[in-house]
Amino acid sequence: MSRYCGIDWAEGHHDIAIVDQDGTLVSKKRIGDDPAGFTALTELLTAAGDTAEDPIPVAIETPRGLMVAAIRATGRAVYAINPMSVARYRERHSMARAKSDHADAMTLANILRVDAHMHRTIPADTELVQAIAVLARAQQDAVWRRTKASNELRCLLREYHPAFLATFASKSATNLAKPEIRAVLAIAPTPAAAAKLTKTRVAAALRRAGRKRGIDEFAAEIVEGLRQQGLRQPELVEKAMGRQALALLGALEAACVGADDLEQAAAEEFRKHPDFAIITSFPGLADLSGARVLAEIGDDRCRFADGRALKAYAGSAPVTRASGRTTSITFRKVKNDRLAAVGWIWAFTAMTHPGPPREHYLARRARGDRHAAALRHLFNKMLGQLHHCLQSGEPFDTLKAFAGPITFTPEPIEPVAA
């Protein structure tokens, strides 16, 4: 195809530019983000020579949105170009740092004209895996919001209500996201309110939270713990902090409910996918963690050329920089953060159970790796095996996967600033 299209998207409109093989502007137009705008875009492409057999490729700075979904539905190749890359391309043609929507659309079209082979199209994932990605990412966001709200609430309670944290402390910390703890905090937001609690009222709160066994004994322990003497804030300040705690508790409640609902929905959709059996055959991957992994790698088998590409995408493979006599191995900071996050959970879960994954982890530790490096190496190894199993359609075989010798790679080190 000798025509290339660039779209500079915005909230209310999009600028279109189509260039030919020589970089000459063929046509341009500003369209709206609505059906009429999409119709105008298709007419513009058709007038430029677009056909079903040889569609004009499109470059845009985002992989999501209604316009992107509509363009992908037509079968055209869509390239999602990183905005930082677009900014660097723009600097090749203007040292004045001038910027306009039309110029950005031209830049995007010219990126495809000269460097299309250096960029990848948006993966051709199925509709089911796209739905799984929406649910799995939303659930992970809800978990992060839950953690943030829990940490904020814990910090506040430490300032005026430490007895509450001590009452529910388990080992080193209090998990405020537990339904029982949230239910008790709702009726005891301040030390003054906690001192007036009765065993009967606490037991009723525990039952509402879903507790089934040992309610009376646990309620007695809670009442005794909350009545312990301690330092107090001034009365009005304590009441104000109690109101703030209830507000934070509301945010925590919403995050917990959202995380639970989205976890169930993501797991239900994941079970419908053909790759479910292969992914969950790996140690450490269950319904939710498997859904997160599938959401990030997709089911387009042509997306990653080999296992090395997938490992680089996940950030599990280190970056080697060699110049002259100097060689450094550092962490890969540019990566898919969501896949790296679930990879840590995957490797940690697999390592905690007896079997070859744990033996591999212990062997890496014996060779000098720290905990994080050993887990990252285990994740790196199993991710390559997952790529092979998905390509071949075979379930995971532990004996085959860990039959070879354990290779030693130096632990990545953080670069030291000069």
Side-chain angles (χ1 to χ4, degrees):
M1 169 57 64
S2 59
R3 298 289 189 273
Y4 306 90
C5 177
I7 301 179
D8 182 73
W9 69 279
E11 182 177 351
H13 63 267
H14 310 297
D15 281 82
I16 313 298
I18 300 178
V19 301
D20 61 15
Q21 189 64 42
D22 298 324
T24 303
L25 180 64
V26 175
S27 57
K28 68 175 183 177
K29 192 177 183 65
R30 172 168 288 186
I31 64 173
D33 190 28
D34 51 25
F38 178 69
T39 301
L41 172 61
T42 55
E43 292 175 352
L44 201 67
L45 292 171
T46 302
D50 178 82
T51 61
E53 296 76 18
D54 192 13
I56 296 177
V58 176
I60 193 169
E61 290 179 285
T62 177
R64 59 183 61 87
L66 292 173
M67 185 60 68
V68 174
I71 297 173
R72 292 182 64 187
T74 64
R76 294 179 176 86
V78 180
Y79 293 78
I81 311 298
N82 190 291
M84 292 184 64
S85 297
V86 178
R88 299 301 176 269
Y89 273 97
R90 189 190 307 120
E91 293 172 358
R92 296 171 56 185
H93 304 284
S94 174
M95 299 304 296
R97 307 186 72 176
K99 184 183 183 302
S100 68
D101 294 341
H102 169 63
D104 284 350
M106 285 280 294
T107 300
L108 286 162
N110 280 303
I111 288 175
L112 291 188
R113 181 177 65 87
V114 298
D115 283 332
H117 63 287
M118 299 295 294
H119 299 275
R120 294 185 298 178
T121 60
I122 297 177
D125 292 328
T126 61
E127 184 177 347
L128 177 58
V129 85
Q130 293 181 52
I132 293 172
V134 170
L135 294 171
R137 291 169 181 170
Q139 197 276 339
Q140 194 167 40
D141 289 339
V143 170
W144 288 337
R145 288 194 299 270
R146 182 179 66 190
T147 301
K148 180 177 182 293
S150 179
N151 290 339
E152 290 180 350
L153 184 57
R154 179 182 291 108
C155 291
L156 178 63
L157 292 174
R158 283 175 58 87
E159 294 185 14
Y160 82 102
H161 204 355
F164 185 88
L165 297 176
T167 300
F168 294 96
S170 176
K171 295 183 179 179
S172 60
T174 304
N175 184 6
L176 296 175
K178 288 184 176 181
E180 301 167 354
I181 299 179
R182 303 200 309 266
V184 175
L185 181 59
I187 60 176
T190 64
K196 299 177 182 179
L197 284 181
T198 62
K199 178 181 173 181
T200 302
R201 191 178 179 191
V202 173
L206 294 177
R207 290 189 179 91
R208 288 196 302 270
R211 189 176 180 91
K212 301 296 183 182
R213 301 178 181 178
I215 295 178
D216 293 335
E217 295 80 2
F218 190 31
E221 294 177 5
I222 293 173
V223 171
E224 181 181 357
L226 293 179
R227 289 180 178 176
Q228 295 294 324
Q229 295 296 322
L231 300 178
R232 300 277 293 272
Q233 293 277 4
E235 182 179 358
L236 293 180
V237 176
E238 184 178 280
K239 289 182 179 179
M241 288 185 166
R243 293 292 297 271
Q244 183 184 1
L246 291 177
L248 291 176
L249 180 62
L252 179 59
E253 290 275 3
C256 291
V257 172
D260 293 340
D261 291 345
L262 290 168
E263 177 180 351
Q264 181 179 359
E268 289 177 356
E269 294 300 317
F270 177 48
R271 296 188 194 103
K272 302 176 184 177
H273 198 277
D275 293 339
F276 170 80
I278 296 176
I279 294 176
T280 53
S281 66
F282 279 75
L285 286 181
D287 288 357
L288 179 59
S289 54
R292 288 184 181 179
V293 171
L294 179 62
E296 301 309 321
I297 67 176
D299 56 3
D300 182 1
R301 295 293 181 258
C302 300
R303 181 176 185 179
F304 302 102
D306 50 28
R308 292 169 60 90
L310 177 56
K311 294 174 183 179
Y313 179 70
S316 59
V319 176
T320 302
R321 292 183 174 89
S323 178
R325 298 181 180 180
T326 303
T327 301
S328 65
I329 301 175
T330 60
F331 296 105
R332 188 179 294 270
K333 297 185 179 298
V334 180
K335 60 183 182 298
N336 184 314
D337 291 333
R338 294 182 184 273
L339 184 54
V342 71
W344 178 275
I345 299 174
W346 176 13
F348 184 83
T349 306
M351 177 274 298
T352 55
H353 295 84
R358 178 169 179 80
E359 295 172 3
H360 182 89
Y361 167 82
L362 295 176
R364 295 294 307 185
R365 292 283 284 166
R367 288 175 178 262
D369 281 1
R370 292 180 295 179
H371 173 67
L375 280 184
R376 185 166 51 250
H377 191 278
L378 178 59
F379 170 48
N380 187 64
K381 184 176 182 64
M382 292 194 298
L383 193 61
Q385 296 161 354
L386 176 61
H387 179 270
H388 169 76
C389 290
L390 291 175
Q391 292 290 339
S392 61
E394 301 175 358
F396 178 73
D397 189 329
T398 306
L399 297 179
K400 290 182 180 179
F402 290 89
I406 299 176
T407 58
F408 178 69
T409 303
E411 178 186 351
I413 59 175
E414 290 285 357
V416 180

